[in-house]
Amino acid sequence: MTLASLDAQDRAATLAAYYVLSYLSMSLPAIAAGAATQHYGLRTAAHAYAVAAALLAVAALAALTVSRGRTVHHAHNDLP
């Protein structure tokens, strides 16, 4: 779906939701890291943040691999 296919009100709502989610996804981890630094120290908080980011990257890569595998599998099944 592209924004051009939506009417003006739906386009505005879609963009507003996108921006809210973008700002939250950027600010909440930074706030959490700051709070963790106050409780556990900078070194521990930085290590935990790095491990969490690495785990999320691995999970995203795994999800992408599974998704592409399904797409290729469905494409082969659709051939005559």
Side-chain angles (χ1 to χ4, degrees):
M1 171 173 49
T2 62
L3 289 176
S5 66
L6 300 173
D7 63 4
Q9 185 176 357
D10 289 339
R11 191 171 30 242
T14 301
L15 282 175
Y18 172 79
Y19 284 124
V20 167
L21 288 173
S22 295
Y23 292 139
L24 287 175
S25 68
M26 295 289 205
S27 63
L28 291 181
I31 292 169
T37 299
Q38 293 296 317
H39 292 333
Y40 304 109
L42 180 59
R43 181 180 303 263
T44 304
H47 286 154
Y49 196 90
V51 168
L55 290 174
L56 287 172
V58 169
L61 182 61
L64 181 62
T65 302
V66 168
S67 174
R68 285 192 176 185
R70 287 183 184 161
T71 303
V72 170
H73 180 68
H74 288 300
H76 287 301
N77 288 340
D78 292 340
L79 293 174

